[in-house]
Every structure is written in C-alpha cells, then in structure tokens.
Amino acid sequence: LDHGSRKGGTTMMVVGGDFTNPDSDSLNCFYSTDRGRTWKAPKRAPHGYRSAVEFLSRKHVISCGINGVDYSFDGGNTWKWISKEGFNSCRIAKTGATVYLAGNNGKVAKVKYEEKRRKGGKGLGVRN
C-alpha cells in the first residue's frame, strides 16, 4: 500500500509467482489504483518470482526475489531488473532514505535512494 495519505493511499500491489520456476514472470505482479476494487497486470512485470514489494514513494517501488531485485519508476506498471543478487525481503526505513534487503545465510544489503528533479518531472537516483 502506498503511504501517500493519512489512510495509506489508494494504490495496492501484490507480488509472487512460481517459486519452483524463479525466472518466470507469468502472473507474478498485480496492482490496484482504487483500493483493490480492480487489479491490473503490469506492462513489463518483475523478472521472475518475487517474495517482497515495498513502496518508496507514490510512484517508486522496489521488489525482490530469489533471482534478483526490480525497480519501478511508474507505480508498478513497468519494472527494471536492477540486480541479479537474490533477496527474500525488502523494507524502507521508518526515517531517512534507506532500503534494507535480507537474503539467505544472513545476507543483508542496504540501498540509499534520493529523489532528484529531472527535466520533465521527478526521477530517482539509486546508489549503493
């Protein structure tokens, strides 16, 4: 659920897929912009099975799974595979601009992000 308003916003997203076929992007992500009344599949889905999804802002979303991490700049309609490193969960810190990812055998990663103004609108700078 996006956190864009006091009641949590209107956008919802679910991820998953086929754990036994981690590279399949068939039916692995759906989003709603009307609090769950209707659901849509993205134009370009995350790359494979995904076990977690987290809104960073109204339009910026991160998702992870056993074969990598994907990022959406448009509220989940299109996804870009940003890492082939597998993780099981992702969560944005309560304060600040840090996203934590956790994986097998104690693997932890930290990604800092910052919104930047670009010509034509907002963008996101991702840095490790």
Side-chain angles (χ1 to χ4, degrees):
L1 192 62
D2 79 64
H3 303 287
S5 77
R6 189 168 185 213
K7 294 183 180 180
T10 59
T11 303
M12 303 167 71
M13 189 168 305
V14 293
V15 296
D18 183 353
F19 186 81
T20 63
N21 187 5
D23 292 324
S24 173
D25 62 4
S26 176
L27 304 175
N28 70 343
C29 180
F30 292 90
Y31 68 97
S32 171
T33 56
D34 58 10
R35 292 189 173 267
R37 284 188 286 263
T38 61
W39 292 87
K40 302 171 193 167
K43 277 186 186 175
R44 186 177 318 130
H47 190 83
Y49 169 81
R50 292 294 175 258
S51 54
V53 63
E54 182 79 358
F55 279 91
L56 307 180
S57 70
R58 287 180 185 264
K59 296 289 184 182
H60 300 249
V61 190
I62 192 167
S63 185
C64 64
I66 55 179
N67 73 346
V69 180
D70 290 277
Y71 200 91
S72 175
F73 292 92
D74 60 5
N77 191 39
T78 57
W79 291 85
K80 181 178 180 178
W81 201 13
I82 62 171
S83 172
K84 292 182 180 181
E85 187 77 26
F87 292 95
N88 303 320
S89 64
C90 56
R91 186 73 180 171
I92 188 170
K94 252 184 172 174
T95 59
T98 303
V99 177
Y100 293 95
L101 299 107
N104 292 339
N105 302 316
K107 178 171 49 172
V108 176
K110 178 172 95 170
V111 177
K112 291 191 177 216
Y113 78 96
E114 57 189 35
E115 287 195 51
K116 293 183 176 180
R117 290 237 172 235
R118 292 187 184 162
K119 195 173 189 176
K122 284 187 176 180
L124 191 77
V126 177
R127 52 189 171 130
N128 291 331

